[in-house]
Amino acid sequence: MTKKRLATVWLDGCSGCHMSFLDIDERLLLLADKLDLVYSPLVDQKTFPDKVDITLVEGAVSSEEDLHKIQHIRAHTRILVAFGDCAVTGNVPSLRNSVGAESVLRRAYMEPDLINPQFPTDVIPALLPVVRPVHAVVKVDVHIPGCPPSADTIFSVVSDLLSGKSPEVMTSTHFGA
Amino acid sequence: MTTKLPQSQLPEEEILRVAEQEQEEKSQYQRHIYVCMGAACLAAGSATVKDSLSEVVDQNGFAGRCAVHGGGCRGLCAEGPTVTIEPDDVLYGKITPQDAPDIIKNLGKKRPLERLHRPTDRPFFLRQQRIVLELAGKVNSERIEDYIASGGYKSLLKAVHEMSPVEVINEITRSGLRGRGGAGYSTGLKWRTVAKADGHPKYVICNGDEGDPGAFMDRSVMDDYPFRLLEGITIAAYAVGAEQGYVYIRAEYPLSVRRVQNAIRQAQRLNLLGNQIAGTAFNFDVQVRVGAGAFVCGEETALIASIEGKRGQPRPRPPYPATAGLWGKPTLINNVETFANIPAIIRNGADWFASIGTEKSKGTKVFALTGNINHSGLIEVPMGITLREIIYDIGGGIPNGKRFKAAQTGGPSGGCIPEEHLDISMDYESLAGIGSIMGSGGLIVMDEDSCMVNVAKYFMEFCMTESCGKCIPCRVGTAQIYRILDNTTRGTATLSDLEQLEMLCDMVRHTSLCGLGQAAPNPVLSTLRFFRDEYLMHIVEKRCPAGVCHLHPEPALYNDTKESVR
Amino acid sequence: MSGVVTLKINGIDVGAQENETILDVARENDIFIPTLCYLEGLSRIGACRLCLVEVKGISKLLPACATTVAEGMEVFTDTDRLRKYRRLIVEMLFTEGNHVCSVCVANGHCELQTLAQQHEIDYVSLPYLYPQRTVDASHERFVFDHNRCVLCTRCVRVCDEVEGAHTWDIRGRGIESGVITDLNQPWGTSVTCTSCGKCVQACPTGALFMKGKSVGEMVHSPSFLTFLAQMREAKK
Ligand SMILES: Cc1cc2nc3c(=O)[nH]c(=O)nc-3n(C[C@H](O)[C@H](O)[C@H](O)COP(=O)(O)O)c2cc1C
Ligand code: SF4
Ligand code: SF4
Ligand code: FES
């Protein structure tokens, strides 16, 4: 059997979902038999490859960079998985939506007692006015709620996807789990 | 039934004497000038017109021969201020105070003043049939004597003296009268349920909330014709055995409130309200309750909560108000126009009434005809008349040679009628058959320059802001539906939004608690049914065929108007 | 004495007293019907519409919590159509407020969260509306976070009907409506609030909670209501 090409990406999230992924522990070896990790914060690969079977997306879409990334990823992925509450609901990153992006920037860059307070210009990507869950931006095939989803949930969903089954997500997780 | 009081009181004769006296006084004058004091004419300055007419009459020594009264609406509301001269039945429109001398000078001449004359032998008047509004405009709206002299209160006297409550109910049932508040429920059946319900005391409520945007039928009755309304309510109270009545009027109708209150006082003075009405053992009194003008307070259970001093929110039915209404007691609640029909039915009989209209929709319906139409105003037509007759004969067609596109009935709970259904019979069943409703009588005509998506959006915005917020489907559903319609008119909606729109409409319609939510999707569903292509043009081609919406399709990704922030 | 009727729920014959609601009978028979605005011991307002059921021969859907049973009724509680509507209704609640379960005091003990799970809502297909709402922490013992309020009015009713204080009420219309204390004054300044905490216990979500509770620590226990209701019934 050919190995499936798996990618994981990290948009606006805390990396907790990736940590939970690693919590699969020794069962990672079982998965490793069936997949190649072709792109991930966990591996040293700078550009998103062309043909990916499954991509797990952690985090909400908050900045212009997130937006471009997710559109590119969608175009090159067969099964796109919203991985964790930030990707599924917007979660904590979306808390800023009711106050607006500018007040967040102001709080971070202008209000603290800095020597030369200024808004960042080049290095930090511009914030979108509204933080969105991934499915509000591109089509999502599978949603795994949870903050983070438990290692067991991740293992069972990824295993199912690898063997071509449609995964049973909601029996083991929910928003905020 | 009713026990007669000792002969000494003779209240019926008293009333007849009032009528005679009034007639006598009236006949001393050769001419009676009725200046319309309806809200539209008042807004156009009819009060100053009346003042200057009185002034000119006094100055020119006509005082003994000509009387000036405040009167009611003749329906030509766009031509206000209007003036009716009796007994010549001359109607003048668009009068200014400066016209007063000419009008007075012309009295008694064969030909009316050409420049102000609004002939009443036009189809606008001839095609109408006036039952509810039969005397409107021709009696003083602030003098009960004038109303009685014109035959008013005969029906009440007939009911309490010659008929038992059951006979009254039977008469109303046989007439086939159906509620004019929108749903068209059989009035006789409702009365019978209240009459049979256990509980004491019983109440009668007149629903004068009239919340549909663009509707002013009930206001007109309350403004011009409050005595007729009271007479109908009193007959109903006699029939169902109620002792207390309420007329619920929205605060936006201050004139109606004043006129109805005035009418109540005058009726009390003549013992047509109060204890032992017209010398019988029947006691009944009425109070006005002023609502704060929420559309939902027209819904009967919300209205009752509002009268009880609670937040105006509907509750699940059953129990219906007929068995558990105001303060938990059996309550009859009917619309203004429904009550205004009653005296005519009692006077002329059920068979007469049942001979007008269609098989299942009897009598007439008052419509507020507005929009892109030559003669807008208040009209009363027999049920079963076609929409084409209303628009082209009575309404005089579409202005500026434009093409008819659709008519909207039932306001935010109704639907639209496209050109292919112009020959539809205006009755409850036919309208429901094409996804619209009779509603309370709003009739908005739209020409080719109207965008149907925009129309749907307008009504949905109305429902969204008027939802009481109690149940989730209506509270959130209307907001979600509005969002999609708004995006459609902006050019940012997608085909999947259209799918979501239909799904939401289906859900809101079937799961909402009260009629507001259940009917809120109607304008959308109806425009989707007849004008789906317009939706598609907005969504796919990003253009508005009527040129109403300004579409600025941005990458459909974000519907936000704001820019990214650095 | 009330009579006894028999009816069918999902094809199963059940017996009931004639003044019971469909919901009462379903619960007695372990038949699941989702609810939110209903709370045993409070008035039944039929507002959330989650308990809607189908009844044979009636075209309208009926709220099980506010519909009395009738002889020969055939009730269906779990049809495709009902599941579809219920899912949408729960989704709409998520879009209407700002619900961030992961950082909520009621995480793991929230009826909204449970409803989402029961209806297998893995994501919310309708767009979030992100309203601007406030938090009232002026009361010395309790906090009210409007972001998490689902407008079930359980707090309003328990305060009015059980405590008798009527501190809570509703203001505004439609999507703009919200619950308020007194005449829309900060809760801490309320002169009617007795600080009994019944509202906090009755709240299905993390909207009302006790000060000092952190994420996932606020466990509501409205069961006192059942007890109170039974006691009052017995006294009558
Ligand atoms: C949202 C809503 C608004 C309503 N508004 C009115 C109204 O303004 N006037 C009215 O007479 N009936 C209104 N109704 C209908 C009343 O609930 C009730 O059916 C009616 O007053 C009964 O009178 P009828 O039988 O004479 O029509 C409304 C219903 C709903 C659901
Ligand atoms: S349908 Fe709308 S107006 Fe009627 S109860 Fe529900 S929220 Fe209130
Ligand atoms: S605060 Fe809680 S109990 Fe009160 S209405 Fe909101 S969700 Fe319901
Ligand atoms: S539980 Fe029945 S409507 Fe809310």
Side-chain angles (χ1 to χ4, degrees), chain A residues 113-130:
Chain A
D113 213 0
L114 302 174
I115 296 166
N116 180 18
Q118 58 179 346
F119 283 136
T121 47
D122 326 315
V123 188
I124 309 237
L127 296 185
L128 296 169
V130 178

Side-chain angles (χ1 to χ4, degrees), chain B residues 270-343:
Chain B
L270 290 185
N271 194 220
L272 291 165
L273 278 180
N275 287 340
Q276 303 176 340
I277 288 174
T280 65
F282 167 48
N283 304 335
F284 179 65
D285 219 332
V286 176
Q287 288 180 10
V288 170
R289 282 287 179 276
V290 180
F295 177 56
V296 71
C297 283
E299 197 281 338
E300 54 191 28
T301 58
L303 189 153
I304 287 171
S306 173
I307 293 184
E308 288 173 349
K310 299 183 190 138
R311 181 178 161 87
Q313 281 188 326
R315 60 157 177 80
R317 300 172 307 175
Y320 288 88
T323 51
L326 189 60
W327 319 114
K329 302 293 180 189
T331 302
L332 171 71
I333 175 163
N334 272 133
N335 166 261
V336 168
E337 194 182 326
T338 313
F339 282 125
N341 268 299
I342 302 298

Side-chain angles (χ1 to χ4, degrees), chain B residues 293-294 311 316 465-473 475-477 479-480 483 500 506-507 510-513 518, chain C residues 45-49 52 60-61 81 84-85 88 92-93 95-96 125-127 150-151 170 172-175 177:
Chain B
R311 181 178 161 87
T465 51
E466 290 294 330
S467 158
C468 80
K470 178 171 178 173
C471 72
I472 306 168
R475 181 178 77 227
V476 192
Q480 290 282 5
R483 181 190 52 77
Q500 208 168 56
D506 173 63
M507 183 268 302
H510 290 108
T511 61
S512 292
L513 195 169
Q518 289 160 10
Chain C
I45 57 170
C48 72
R49 318 304 283 171
L52 288 179
K60 283 203 167 159
L61 304 174
R81 181 167 170 231
K84 182 178 83 179
Y85 290 155
L88 264 177
M92 287 199 299
L93 284 176
T95 70
E96 175 194 34
S125 65
L126 297 166
V150 293
L151 267 168
I170 312 154
R173 272 186 221 159
I175 193 94
S177 48

